[in-house]
Every structure is written in structure tokens, then in C-alpha cells.
Amino acid sequence: GWQRDGQTCASRVHGDSAAQRTPASEPAAHAAGLSMAATAREKAAAEAAAVGAALAVYESELRSAVLALMMDRRSLSIDRGSFELVKTLSQAKQCMECVLARNVLPELETMRLQMAEGWCARLHELWQSNLRAILLAERWQPLSELSARPLASSVIDLFTQLDKVVDVFVPFAAVSPPLSPAALQRFLDVLETAASQYCLSVLASCLPLPPSQLQAALEADAVAIEPAPIAAQNDIQNPFAPGALVAAAPIDEPQPLAEAVLKLNSCDCAARNVLTLSNKLRDKLPQMAGVSPLMPGAERMCETACSDLAEHIISRIVVGELGPLIANRLYAPSPLEHGARMHVLLSRLSPLLAQLVRTVAGSRLKGLLVGPLTKLARAIGLVLSGRIGARDGRGVSRHFERQHRVAIAEDLEALHDAFCATGALDEQMARRAVAFVDALADEACGVVPRHEAVGTAAEATHTTNPFDF
């Protein structure tokens, strides 16, 4: 502006029209214009020096104020007032750097880091109490009866709060210059901890199934599915004692299947919300745009919880609901006995499969259908091989003859059809899950020599992975 004023004065000395100029006056006018321009430049330089000195004093005062604020760690957090302070100081820093041509107020970035750290520390303490309160208030009832895939209110409450926390953090982190990677990671750790602890606590609230003959036989069998890890959750370092989160129920009163499905859906919802929060942070903060995944620990914990809950549901169906029928009635004393065929199991199983299809989240449904089919096929194999029921104290025993083979084949076909009728499991996958039972049935009924049947069953069991889809 000062330079422009000097040029304006010079132009006025030169005159506004050629008619006013005379050959004699032009050199004098030109010299006068140069003199005024030089005077204007000197004035501008003097005033710029004065402004620079004033800004240096202002910077010194700001640095003292920032250092004093940093000493009072109680005020170092993120709220509306601190956000406006950081925003204003950042704007002042940019303006002063343009004039002074050097780095100004370096303590501002340190103060922002301390604010982010103090806020994250408070958030961590807050989530400890908030999550405990959310889970204590949870009654494991569907949030809405009209929802196709029921969810618990706790997962909605948790991620609604986390979403609001992200909305507070993003503007603070976006103030120029961008927040450091260390501060961003500290915030991500808070989100990860909250999501992981939720899934871990939900998993720990699932009570183990009561002991049963079928479960013992499955655990003892070399090719049986490993027992559900729910019973061993006390080995996990859970920050919340399971007894403080859910009322302890007698082990002979297992939780209903609907509650287990609700917990699975809630952990699946948590997994999807972790990805949603990650995408939101990438969209809002350029420094996170190329980072994937943002919260790998939370993603792994959510998936682990979903996997363990699915196995828990599978065991609940096969061992809890069908176990007594398999151990005491199926093919006892022979496959031709009235009420000893597969239809007895299917009358109990079909409503459970329909419940899974109706309520389980779509991404989890296929594994949650192939799992019970595979475990049920292995339980039938234990019956056919005489490893369950033959030594029961109440005298349950079974014998098989060649003429029984047709009835067993019909039962396996009916089992296959029941799972395919759900519409979520294709025929090839269902046949692979029960293929090895045919060899055990041949052995039990004396259709093939024992050593050939054992070899065929072992080959089918070890080369067919029903979960490979």
C-alpha cells in the first residue's frame, strides 16, 4: 500500500494529460516524482520495521501466555473454548510468519499435543465408566421388534457416542498445521479400546453350556470341532469382571438362543461401525487418507468375538438343543425303531434354522448354517461308531445291520434337504459337510470291511473343509 501511494504521488507530479507538459518542466517533474517515491519507500521500510518489532513483542507475549497455559495441565483438553483458542492462535501464527518470514510461536504445536493427550486420557477414563453403565443397563432385548436383524441398544449407544467424539476431534486436528501422527494415533487408540472392550465384554457375558455326554464325546473325538471358547473367556484380560456385567445364571439354565444371536449381531454391528468411523476419519483428515486399516486391533477383536459367538451358537444348537435326542434317542436301539429316526431331530432343528435365517446378519449366516450341519454330522458319526450311548448307565445301546443302511441314507438326505431349504446354503456345500458320515454308516451296517470304512472316513474328514467357502 505504501509503495502504491508513492507511485500515485509520482503520477500526479507528472500530470494527468500531455497538454500540461512542457519540455522545460518534464525533467523537474520527473526528479520530484522520484524523490517522493524514495520518500514513500523509506517511510514504508520504517513502518515495516516498526510493525516487525511490534509483532516480535506480541509473539513474546503470546509465547509467555502459551507456556503458562501449558503449565496448568488441568486446562489442557479439547472443548469449545480451547478449540477457538487454538484456531485463533494458528491464524495469528500464519499472519506473523508471513510478515516476519520465520517460524513463529513453536510452542503452539506442543500445546496442541498436550491438549489432545489430556483429552484422550479423560476419554479413556470416561469410557471405563460409560461402557460399564451401558452394559449394566443392557437387558439383551431387541432394540426394535420390527427390525429384520435385531440389535442391542448397547451397541447403538456406544457408537453414537464414539461418532460424536470423532465430530469433536476432527475440527481440532484439521487446524493448520495438521496435528502430528502421534496425537492422531493416541486418539485412534481411544476408539480402538472402546470398541474392543465392548466386544470382549459381550463375549464374556455368554455363559458356557452345561456338561453333557455329547459334548464330552465331541471333545474326546480326534476329528471333532474344538469346543466353543466361551467357557475359557476368563483367561482373557477383561477390564470388566464378567460378574459385574451380567447376573450370574445357574449353569443348568442356559441363555436363550435369541440372546446369543442378538449378541452376535451386535458385535457384527460393532465391526461395521469401526470401518465406518475409519472411513469418516480418512475423508475428514488428509493425513489419514492413505492409512489402512486405521484401527486394526478393533477390527481383529470384533471379528474374533463374532467368530467365537458363532461357535457358541453352533454348540448351543447341536449340543444344547439336540444333544439329549442324539445321545438317547437317535437310532436307539436301531434305525428301524419308531421315534428313533432323523425326523425327531429335524422337528426340533427346523424352527432353529428358520430363526437363524430370520435374525442373523447376512454376512454371518452362511457360516452359522454350515457349522451346525458339520457338527451335527460329526455327532451322528459318533453314534454310528458306537462312541456315544453304548455305555450309558440307563442302558441306551444301539445295533446296526445291513438292512438299516437304506434308512440311514434317507435320514442323511433329509438332513441335507433341511439345511438346503433355508435358501442360504447351496447343495454342494451341504453334501460336503455330511459326506464322511456315509463311510461311517457303511462300516456300522457292515456294508464294507472295517479297515476300508475307517480309511474312507478319515480321508473325507481331513480333506473336506466345510467352512471353505
Side-chain angles (χ1 to χ4, degrees):
W2 295 319
Q3 183 179 6
R4 186 169 58 252
D5 292 342
Q7 292 172 348
T8 302
C9 293
S11 66
R12 288 176 179 173
V13 172
H14 282 284
D16 295 330
S17 66
Q20 296 175 339
R21 300 193 188 102
T22 62
S25 63
E26 283 186 0
H30 181 67
L34 292 177
S35 176
M36 293 184 67
T39 302
R41 286 194 296 270
E42 291 175 359
K43 180 180 179 182
E47 293 188 3
V51 169
L55 287 179
V57 174
Y58 181 51
E59 180 198 6
S60 177
E61 293 177 352
L62 285 180
R63 294 182 67 177
S64 299
V66 169
L67 290 172
L69 187 62
M70 291 169 61
M71 295 296 293
D72 184 11
R73 295 185 176 274
R74 294 172 299 176
S75 63
L76 293 179
S77 182
I78 300 176
D79 52 28
R80 183 178 299 274
S82 61
F83 170 67
E84 292 299 331
L85 172 64
V86 168
K87 185 177 179 181
T88 302
L89 288 176
S90 296
Q91 293 172 348
K93 173 182 170 70
Q94 293 177 11
C95 293
M96 288 190 293
E97 287 178 346
C98 290
V99 176
L100 300 177
R102 60 178 177 81
N103 184 27
V104 172
L105 205 59
E107 294 82 3
L108 178 59
E109 182 60 22
T110 304
M111 186 184 74
R112 291 179 66 198
L113 292 176
Q114 290 189 6
M115 283 182 172
E117 176 62 31
W119 187 61
C120 289
R122 293 184 183 183
L123 279 180
H124 181 73
E125 296 175 0
L126 181 63
W127 287 124
Q128 300 290 323
S129 58
N130 278 8
L131 187 55
R132 183 184 297 274
I134 287 174
L135 290 171
L136 283 175
E138 181 62 77
R139 294 295 176 262
W140 297 114
Q141 297 294 327
L143 189 62
S144 172
E145 297 293 342
L146 303 178
S147 176
R149 299 291 183 261
L151 292 174
S153 61
S154 56
V155 70
I156 303 299
D157 293 341
L158 173 66
F159 281 93
T160 298
Q161 295 182 31
L162 290 179
D163 187 65
K164 292 180 179 179
V165 166
V166 170
D167 289 339
V168 172
F169 180 77
V170 165
F172 179 84
V175 172
S176 181
L179 206 58
S180 70
L184 296 177
Q185 186 58 52
R186 181 70 177 90
F187 177 68
L188 291 175
D189 290 343
V190 172
L191 299 182
E192 274 198 300
T193 300
S196 299
Q197 287 181 349
Y198 174 78
C199 289
L200 185 59
S201 300
V202 171
L203 189 59
S205 69
C206 289
L207 300 178
L209 295 174
S212 68
Q213 183 185 10
L214 177 60
Q215 183 67 29
L218 286 171
E219 292 175 356
D221 188 65
V223 296
I225 300 178
E226 290 295 327
I230 303 297
Q233 287 303 316
N234 289 335
D235 296 336
I236 300 177
Q237 293 182 353
N238 187 354
F240 308 111
L245 298 175
V246 291
I251 198 170
D252 59 348
E253 296 181 9
Q255 296 161 326
L257 179 63
E259 181 176 322
V261 170
L262 186 62
K263 292 177 178 180
L264 172 62
N265 285 348
S266 298
C267 287
D268 177 74
C269 179
R272 289 184 281 108
N273 274 280
V274 166
L275 297 179
T276 300
L277 291 178
S278 297
N279 292 333
K280 184 175 183 178
L281 287 168
R282 291 193 192 95
D283 292 340
K284 301 292 185 180
L285 298 176
Q287 58 268 48
M288 289 188 174
V291 182
S292 181
L294 283 183
M295 294 181 278
E299 293 179 20
R300 286 194 301 269
M301 187 64 242
C302 291
E303 289 300 321
T304 298
C306 288
S307 177
D308 288 354
L309 285 166
E311 180 59 32
H312 181 66
I313 292 172
I314 291 169
S315 295
R316 184 173 296 283
I317 292 174
V318 176
V319 178
E321 299 288 343
L322 305 179
L325 294 177
I326 295 173
N328 300 317
R329 292 188 61 182
L330 183 64
Y331 302 151
S334 77
L336 299 183
E337 184 71 18
H338 177 72
R341 295 283 298 274
M342 184 63 67
H343 66 84
V344 178
L345 269 66
L346 295 182
S347 63
R348 182 80 65 87
L349 176 64
S350 295
L352 300 177
L353 296 180
Q355 180 181 352
L356 293 181
V357 173
R358 187 175 62 254
T359 59
V360 173
S363 60
R364 310 288 174 180
L365 181 58
K366 183 178 289 187
L368 209 53
L369 289 175
V370 74
L373 177 57
T374 303
K375 197 160 194 172
L376 187 56
R378 286 169 171 164
I380 295 172
L382 292 176
V383 171
L384 293 173
S385 60
R387 282 178 279 179
I388 184 172
R391 294 181 295 276
D392 190 272
R394 291 170 292 179
V396 176
S397 61
R398 299 172 174 85
H399 71 278
F400 300 97
E401 300 176 1
R402 184 180 292 268
Q403 62 190 22
H404 299 157
R405 184 65 182 88
V406 175
I408 295 175
E410 293 174 351
D411 283 354
L412 293 177
E413 188 68 21
L415 179 63
H416 164 274
D417 293 344
F419 278 86
C420 289
T422 62
L425 202 61
D426 60 76
E427 182 175 350
Q428 182 180 6
M429 188 179 299
R431 292 209 179 277
R432 290 174 61 192
V434 300
F436 73 96
V437 184
D438 285 322
L440 296 176
D442 289 342
E443 175 194 352
C445 297
V447 176
V448 296
R450 177 178 178 82
H451 68 278
E452 293 184 18
V454 171
T456 304
E459 181 181 356
T461 300
H462 291 292
T463 61
T464 301
N465 181 7
F467 291 96
D468 185 16
F469 55 86

